[in-house]
Amino acid sequence: MTQPIRILLAKVGLDGHDRGIKVVARALRDAGMDVIYTGLHRTPEEVVTAAVQEDVDILGVSLLSGVQMTVFPKILKLLANQGAGDMIVVAGGVMPDEDVAALKAMGVAEVMLQETPPQAIIDTLKRLVVERGPR
Amino acid sequence: MSHYVPSRDLIARVAAGETAATARLITRAEKGLPEARDALAEIYKRAGRAHVVGITGVPGSGKSTLVAVLAGKLRTRGVKVAIVAIDPSSPYSGGAILGDRVRMTELATDPGVYIRSMATHGVVGGMARAALDVVDILDVAGFPIVILETVGVGQDEVDIARASHTTIVVSAPGLGDYIQAIKAGILEIADIHVVSKCDRSDANFTLRDLKASLMPSPASGPSPWIPPIIGTSAVKHEGFDELIEAIDRHRAVAFDPDAGNDRRRHIAGFRLLKTAENLLLDRFAASVDNRAAPLIALLARREADPYSLATELLEPTNAEDKSR
Ligand SMILES: Nc1nc2c(ncn2[C@@H]2O[C@H](COP(=O)(O)OP(=O)(O)O)[C@@H](O)[C@H]2O)c(=O)[nH]1
Ligand SMILES: [Mg+2]
């Protein structure tokens, strides 16, 4: 029996709806993953604390409010400070191409823009966990 | 890619209260990794101080909300709190959505609180085995109280609640869960009854029904514990001082060298048998692989009956003798 992938999904920022992230959560559950959902309007500190306590394989952070270039550096730094620098971080939402490139350069494993179909998200997440290896 | 830290090397970091190390050892305990076994043996020897409080009740009865407020009150008294929230996995995909943390956001960045979500299919080698290993890790990590939230349906979950020092059963108005709880047989495992959502007017009915159903219980043993019934409101923060007082009183009984002896033996016995049961199942599954196929073929053709074939499957030596 293989172990389910554990992923924490969080919504950071002020934008007020969670329909999209809930659709993703259900798709991941239906693909056999354990999805920890933390609700709306989370701060980077809350998200990182939760992800470290839950020891998830993947931390998925979605944002629509254009704050990605401040939020992700903060998250990566907090993870490293808390001894979890090896956690896979993925981003979701809407952002310009140059931000995608910048996020990947700083250590975000993958950026999935808003129109990414669920199956593509699932395949990407599975690949990232395989590439990481046992932990 | 990432380098693998041996489980043994995590023990000192767990004992020093390091969150990432504690979380990682918990992951390995959940996975039932053979590599982690001797580390967990060491953890077991070091553990035994934490008060384990099981909270159970049907979905929607207000357990997570109650746990959040309870933990907050304990924090104002300076007590560190660990919470393990166990939820059922989807029977179709094996996956799960674990949302208990949404109710606990006020504890989100308090370093004196550790919250872990577990899915029933997310573990290997038995839910009860895994949950109790996780409790020991948190014990060694320095949490004097570990709260286990389980859904009060399903035998496994009820068993886990029973394997706690103190079991709290939550009933709530408006769910019809008073009847459901009786059916599931969980009311009688309570050391403490909570009626949640007492800010609602219909909570009076739940309280009344519960009192009526628990009334005549013949005293057993020299100093019988009589489970109190406590009304709480997480919305109004009412009833929690009384609840903490009851938990403390029951802790004193559970940890008493004499009075708590039966309970500790019951928990140890449960744990031993569950662990053995899971070992047996693992070995059986490993040994059965090749031998089952011909028997399945016989069974499908109705050339032999299930009981005889199952007996043969369990007694390979006899079967081999016969075939000679
Ligand atoms: N009125 C009222 N509602 C509550 C209270 N506690 C929880 N609830 C509500 O009951 C629902 C289920 O709560 P939750 O803690 O998730 O229950 P669980 O499934 O047993 O963990 C939520 O909508 C809560 O807001 C309370 O003290 N009063
Ligand atoms: Mg809950």
Side-chain angles (χ1 to χ4, degrees):
Chain A
M1 183 182 148
T2 56
Q3 203 64 18
I5 290 174
R6 273 170 80 81
I7 179 164
L8 187 138
L9 290 183
K11 191 104 204 222
V12 173
L14 295 173
D15 51 281
H17 81 85
D18 56 1
R19 281 191 304 275
I21 201 164
K22 282 189 166 162
V23 169
V24 173
R26 279 194 289 273
L28 299 183
R29 177 203 55 198
D30 293 343
M33 299 184 194
D34 286 347
V35 183
I36 294 149
Y37 182 60
T38 54
L40 286 171
H41 310 316
R42 302 272 69 92
T43 66
E45 287 80 4
E46 288 171 347
V47 168
V48 168
T49 304
V52 172
Q53 290 178 355
E54 298 284 0
D55 190 31
V56 287
D57 296 290
I58 302 167
L59 167 57
V61 177
S62 151
L63 29 75
L64 292 172
S65 37
V67 288
Q68 59 274 5
M69 296 317 291
T70 51
V71 165
F72 281 100
K74 212 166 184 178
I75 285 178
L76 293 170
K77 188 165 164 238
L78 287 166
L79 279 173
N81 287 347
Q82 298 192 25
D86 63 343
M87 191 175 289
I88 301 167
V89 177
V90 300
V94 186
M95 64 186 77
D97 288 348
E98 64 262 32
D99 285 5
V100 173
L103 290 182
K104 284 187 165 182
M106 72 176 73
V108 172
E110 211 48 82
V111 179
M112 285 168 273
L113 298 175
Q114 205 175 29
E115 301 304 318
T116 313
Q119 192 55 49
I121 298 178
I122 291 163
D123 294 341
T124 302
L125 299 178
K126 286 184 174 167
R127 172 178 57 79
L128 290 171
V129 170
V130 169
E131 283 171 3
R132 182 206 58 204
R135 53 169 198 160
Chain B
M1 247 194 68
S2 65
H3 82 288
Y4 188 97
V5 181
S7 297
R8 280 226 137 251
D9 296 352
L10 293 173
I11 296 176
R13 290 165 58 193
V14 170
E18 218 182 285
T19 306
T22 303
R24 181 57 49 87
L25 194 55
I26 287 175
T27 302
R28 294 190 185 156
E30 286 177 347
K31 290 183 179 180
L33 291 187
E35 186 272 336
R37 220 169 262 171
D38 68 325
L40 292 177
E42 174 64 24
I43 291 283
Y44 185 81
K45 281 189 231 152
R46 295 195 192 191
R49 269 167 306 179
H51 182 200
V52 185
V53 177
I55 300 196
T56 195
V58 296
S61 53
K63 298 179 295 297
S64 297
T65 313
L66 177 102
V67 166
V69 177
L70 176 63
K73 300 273 178 199
L74 289 167
R75 290 298 297 139
T76 63
R77 297 169 190 221
V79 180
K80 289 173 73 184
V81 186
I83 299 164
V84 181
I86 303 173
D87 281 304
S89 302
S90 155
Y92 304 106
S93 70
I97 294 179
L98 306 166
D100 293 309
R101 290 191 89 98
V102 176
R103 309 264 182 240
M104 305 181 185
T105 51
E106 278 175 32
L107 309 167
T109 54
D110 181 342
V113 176
Y114 179 94
I115 306 172
R116 181 79 175 206
S117 313
M118 280 173 83
T120 49
H121 290 183
V123 305
V124 177
M127 190 63 226
R129 197 266 326 143
L132 295 174
D133 282 348
V134 169
V135 164
D136 284 340
I137 295 167
L138 292 166
D139 186 337
V140 172
F143 291 95
I145 179 163
V146 181
I147 301 175
L148 281 175
E149 177 188 335
T150 66
V151 177
V153 286
Q155 194 54 47
D156 245 17
E157 282 95 327
V158 174
D159 281 348
I160 291 165
R162 294 185 67 165
S164 310
H165 298 116
T166 303
T167 303
I168 300 175
V169 175
V170 181
S171 306
L175 290 174
D177 60 347
Y178 153 68
I179 300 291
Q180 290 180 45
I182 287 189
K183 280 190 188 149
I186 64 170
L187 278 183
E188 62 229 47
I189 68 171
D191 299 305
I192 299 169
H193 291 278
V194 165
V195 173
S196 63
K197 312 188 190 182
C198 280
D199 49 281
R200 287 173 47 151
S201 57
D202 50 351
N204 282 325
F205 298 114
T206 312
L207 274 167
R208 191 198 57 200
D209 288 350
L210 191 59
K211 277 179 188 148
S213 78
L214 297 173
M215 268 275 251
S217 158
S220 60
S223 67
W225 170 265
I226 298 164
I229 300 175
I230 298 167
T232 62
S233 165
V235 173
K236 293 189 171 172
H237 281 220
E238 280 169 6
F240 285 87
D241 289 336
E242 212 184 331
L243 177 58
I244 291 175
E245 187 269 331
I247 292 171
D248 282 346
R249 251 187 329 120
H250 191 264
R251 182 192 187 283
V253 174
F255 278 78
D256 183 274
D258 297 323
N261 200 26
D262 282 355
R263 180 70 166 238
R264 284 192 303 274
R265 285 183 68 98
H266 168 83
I267 294 170
F270 170 77
R271 200 160 173 182
L272 180 65
L273 291 183
K274 278 286 166 188
T275 308
E277 188 181 302
N278 291 310
L279 274 177
L280 209 58
L281 285 173
D282 284 353
R283 286 184 195 166
F284 178 65
S287 77
V288 95
D289 270 1
N290 318 319
R291 292 185 299 110
L295 302 183
I296 291 169
L298 284 177
L299 188 62
R301 293 199 300 270
R302 293 196 181 260
E303 286 171 18
D305 69 288
Y307 193 86
S308 313
L309 290 175
T311 310
E312 197 172 324
L313 193 60
L314 287 175
E315 291 164 5
T317 39
N318 290 355
E320 278 159 24
D321 287 348
K322 261 185 255 162
S323 66
R324 266 188 215 129

